[in-house]
Amino acid sequence: MKTSFLRVFTVIIFVIIVQAGFSQQIDSMMSVYEEDFPTEKIHLHFDKSVYNKEETIFYKIYILSGTELTTISKNVYVEWYDTTGKMIKQTVAPLYQSTAKGSFELPADYSGNFIHVKAYTRWMLNDDPAFAYDKEITINTTLVNQNKKAFIPRTTVAVFPEGGFLVQGITSRVAFKAVNQFGTPVLIKGFLVNDTNKMLDTIQVKHDGMGMFSLTPKSDEKYKLNWTDENGKSGTTPVDVTKIQGTVISVTTTNDKAVVKVQRTENIPDNFKLLNLLVHLNQKLYYKVTLRVTEKLMQQAAIPIDEMPTGILQFSLFTTDWIPVAERIIFVNNRQHEFTAKLTAPLVSMEKRAKNVLEVYVSDTAFSNMSLSVTDAAVSPPEGNSIYSDLVLSSDIKGKIYNPAYYLTSDADSVTANLDLVMMTSGWRRFDWDKIKAGILPTKKYPKETDFFKLTGKVYGMKSVSIATPLMLNVFIVQKDSSKNFIFLPVQKDGSFEDKKVFFYDTARLYYSFNGNSKLTDITQVQFENGLLRQAPKQITFPANRLYGWSDSIARLKMNYYLDQQEQLKKRMASTTLQEVIVKTRARTENKIQEMEKKYASGLFSGGDGYSFDLTDDPFAKNALDIFSYLQGKVAGLLISGSGAQTSLSWRGSTPDLYVNEMQSAVDMVQSVNVNDIAFIKVFRPPFFGSIGGGSGGAIAIYTKKGSDGRKGSSDSKRLENTILGGYSRFKEFYNPVYEKPADNFETDIRTTLYWNPYILTNKKNPRVRLQFYNNDISKKLQVVLEGVNGEGKMVRVVKLLE
């Protein structure tokens, strides 16, 4: 008897140890997921929602990881597809404070009524494609409505038991969702019936094709929905009862807590009598609750949610031995994802080409990084998504959400209830619990992209020749704007080389040779790469007989008017251009600043937004004590105080970065440079993307005078081996006309986007930004949209009408 008791006791101890081991393993694995496999989420703020053909699409990209600005990626990629699914173009841009700007010019011959956009980082390619950023932008291509093509609607109705399964004898809520073949909601009505066709309940859509009913399954019955859609077509959807015994989970919420109720059948296996509940959000485990249902058929727990971040909170229910049995998601919205920005309009006028003034004020102490668009309100249909919906809702849902922006516009009970229908009818599963239980981590094909553009590559054929000294590769880089850069690349024993300081847009031609051993170029092959992800042109698939368009007839009429004016203006400009070609025959001359720009600046230092100073013929430079005294008072917003070692600089609350010949330098080093030795100065407004830290205070680039050696290379380089290498995509800058003085011969101003600014930056010292723009010749009502993030990963969206 004693021996038997000891055996039973040993088994119990073993089971406890095993279950404790599973628990610790799942805890540790979730910690690994949170730390080593974080996810990134993307939002694109477009200057408007509908475009006419041949227009330019301007956009700003925002990326978060969890609830913070991403530190995972340094580059972001955007792909553009036509209506057949063919990729038109891929662009790549560097990230600054988790953001990037860009543009896409619609091809002149583009005739599609939409264009498809995919955006991602290299790291995001490891995730399930169902979570990727996809958007379709409406294109108004002709004056005739293109949506006359008939299509046969096909309604599909799916049912979703709360928790995942229906169990006999337990009352459960069941949500349903009715959509057509394109994912658009469909209105249906009908009945829940059993297998004898007895009506048990009516079904009615509450919001966007979704609704809910309750059901207590019986062992001797089967169930189905008999429904009729808005087009008069009938259908049947089975309601499957898949469990004879087991547990179900239901969740209801109040302002401060989520009440979880777990029910079980009378007879259940022993491993269902002690249940484990994991409550997690953004791959972070917040609560682990043990529910004992040994004696009771129902158990409930109250989970505090009032201090949780905004997002999708998941409840995962497991048996004693950690077998998943039910899941439920809810949306937590405590408004902790938002920060406040005040958008005011001190000056508003809807007269032709009238001046308008906007002010953006952020009282938050954290820095903010925002974008702002002003468009004709008559051609701006309501956006289906927003920075809120993209970053805290759509990016965590596998299924398509129709008009996701709606669910974050209000805290009204009706909106909250409708959002819970989305939670009930949408898939959400980032974890494969079986793999976690087995200790199997996800495979990551694509590494984190923690570097910007870099010049990298390999020398092939080195083994065929004996090399006594370390190899050095001389590379002379000539960009499209004629700017030049010369670098030395040490070659490793395996032939590889790398330089992370090279940075340029568009393409550049690389001339190269081996330092001290020019013959090596004849017997080796050098391959250059930029370290960026380049996707080959590809094809994606859209549903057959796709119907896409927009239903706002007033907006379409206004867009058609703009399109007609656009075509007329193009014809007038074509005839004017022909006359100018005949009259203007003398060669174009460049001013001195442009010549200095070409001669000295390269990479991110070429072009840019700021000020340029030519010191070679400047009499004031000769009398300046140092470079800071020369710049004092010359740049609006740049504050220079003190002298000598006490000199300090400030611009928009941050310190500008200093560069001498494009090498970062300290204040004392810059002061030691004789002003008479300086040829050219460039002062970049914040932000300056060439700085490693983001350049929130802008930058000052100082170039010393070059001797005869500064002009070497251009003639000799033609005899060197060379290749072409692509860099970051070059984007179009938004044109913001200034109508300070009246003019007689201005062409009609038909801009539908009146103003676009992708970088509005504030911080504690400079919380206010003042902007100005001019109206076109047509608009009488304007829409202003401000979106952005701050340093804490919080978001803002403000929409304002001007009239």
Side-chain angles (χ1 to χ4, degrees), residues 5 17 19 32 77 80 89 106 113 128 176 222 239 256 339 365 419 428 439 445 448 484 488 499 533 633 639 752 791:
F5 171 77
I17 291 173
Q19 303 318 321
V32 170
Y77 304 85
W80 304 83
K89 187 178 183 180
L106 288 166
N113 55 8
D128 189 327
F176 66 87
K222 295 182 179 180
V239 181
D256 59 349
F339 73 92
T365 57
L419 178 54
W428 196 105
K445 179 181 177 182
K448 296 177 180 178
K484 305 172 182 67
F488 299 99
D499 189 307
L533 180 66
L639 303 178
T752 52

Side-chain angles (χ1 to χ4, degrees), residues 44-49 51 55-61 80 100-105 137 372-373 731-736 753 755-758:
L44 269 67
H45 177 196
F46 295 94
D47 62 304
K48 54 191 173 187
S49 54
Y51 295 83
E55 286 193 312
T56 299
I57 300 173
F58 293 96
Y59 59 89
K60 170 79 170 287
I61 301 175
W80 304 83
K101 66 176 182 178
S103 66
F104 176 76
E105 296 181 58
I137 301 173
L372 182 142
S373 68
F731 299 115
K732 185 178 180 180
E733 294 294 330
F734 181 80
Y735 171 63
N736 187 30
T753 299
Y755 184 76
W756 168 252
N757 190 333

Side-chain angles (χ1 to χ4, degrees), residues 476-485 503-509 588 590 593-608 662 680 682 684 703 714 725 728 730:
F476 185 70
I477 304 172
V478 181
Q479 298 180 42
K480 273 193 171 182
D481 60 1
S482 299
S483 58
K484 305 172 182 67
N485 195 15
F503 198 111
F504 60 82
Y505 286 89
D506 210 327
T507 58
R509 185 167 292 277
R588 181 176 61 90
E590 295 181 321
I593 290 293
Q594 289 174 322
E595 292 176 0
M596 299 293 282
E597 173 81 19
K598 282 190 174 184
K599 183 176 180 180
Y600 288 94
S602 66
L604 264 185
F605 292 86
S606 61
E662 300 181 0
F680 187 48
K682 295 192 69 177
F684 296 91
Y703 297 89
S714 58
L725 186 66
Y728 285 114
R730 185 173 291 280

Side-chain angles (χ1 to χ4, degrees), residues 247-249 260-264 275 291 297-299 317:
T247 61
V248 298
I249 185 174
V260 183
K261 183 168 69 173
V262 176
Q263 299 179 78
R264 71 170 177 87
L275 301 173
L291 298 170
L297 299 181
M298 190 272 288
Q299 186 69 275
L317 187 66

Side-chain angles (χ1 to χ4, degrees), residues 194-214:
N194 62 12
D195 48 358
T196 63
N197 228 26
K198 178 183 178 181
M199 188 187 75
L200 304 177
D201 201 352
T202 59
I203 58 171
Q204 185 176 0
V205 169
K206 290 185 177 180
H207 178 74
D208 278 352
M210 298 177 292
M212 190 183 302
F213 59 89
S214 293

Side-chain angles (χ1 to χ4, degrees), residues 255-375:
N255 289 334
D256 59 349
K257 62 185 177 182
V259 179
V260 183
K261 183 168 69 173
V262 176
Q263 299 179 78
R264 71 170 177 87
T265 54
E266 186 73 34
N267 298 314
I268 54 171
D270 289 340
N271 62 340
F272 276 74
K273 294 180 180 179
L274 186 66
L275 301 173
N276 298 301
L277 179 67
L278 300 184
V279 184
H280 48 99
L281 186 152
N282 285 330
Q283 301 192 142
K284 180 178 181 180
L285 181 62
Y286 281 85
Y287 299 102
K288 185 168 66 172
V289 181
T290 300
L291 298 170
R292 297 181 181 275
V293 288
T294 306
E295 298 177 356
K296 295 181 179 181
L297 299 181
M298 190 272 288
Q299 186 69 275
Q300 68 179 26
I303 307 297
I305 60 173
D306 54 326
E307 295 184 2
M308 283 189 172
T310 302
I312 294 177
L313 185 66
Q314 185 171 6
F315 298 82
S316 301
L317 187 66
F318 299 84
T319 60
T320 307
D321 50 351
W322 292 95
I323 298 173
V325 293
E327 288 187 321
R328 171 74 154 97
I329 59 174
I330 65 170
F331 193 84
V332 176
N333 187 3
N334 298 314
R335 298 290 175 184
Q336 292 192 16
H337 63 289
E338 300 178 35
F339 73 92
T340 302
K342 292 183 180 180
L343 177 62
T344 58
L347 178 61
V348 176
S349 176
M350 295 297 106
E351 297 296 322
K352 287 184 178 182
R353 308 189 184 192
K355 183 178 180 179
N356 290 266
V357 176
L358 299 173
E359 280 193 355
V360 179
Y361 176 75
V362 180
S363 59
D364 204 307
T365 57
F367 74 81
S368 67
N369 183 338
M370 299 170 288
S371 50
L372 182 142
S373 68
V374 182
T375 57

Side-chain angles (χ1 to χ4, degrees), residues 729-799:
S729 303
R730 185 173 291 280
F731 299 115
K732 185 178 180 180
E733 294 294 330
F734 181 80
Y735 171 63
N736 187 30
V738 177
Y739 297 129
E740 291 288 0
K741 298 178 181 179
D744 296 328
N745 298 319
F746 275 131
E747 290 288 354
T748 305
D749 187 340
I750 53 171
R751 294 170 296 132
T752 52
T753 299
L754 285 299
Y755 184 76
W756 168 252
N757 190 333
Y759 277 103
I760 298 173
L761 307 176
T762 68
N763 54 37
K764 184 178 180 180
K765 292 185 179 180
N766 294 274
R768 193 184 307 273
V769 176
R770 191 178 180 91
L771 311 166
Q772 68 177 39
F773 67 93
Y774 293 82
N775 193 19
N776 58 22
D777 292 339
I778 301 171
S779 299
K780 297 301 179 184
K781 187 177 182 180
L782 304 178
Q783 176 178 277
V784 185
V785 178
L786 175 75
E787 290 191 333
V789 296
N790 70 5
E792 297 172 349
K794 294 184 178 182
M795 295 160 268
V796 69
R797 177 178 168 87
V798 181
V799 180

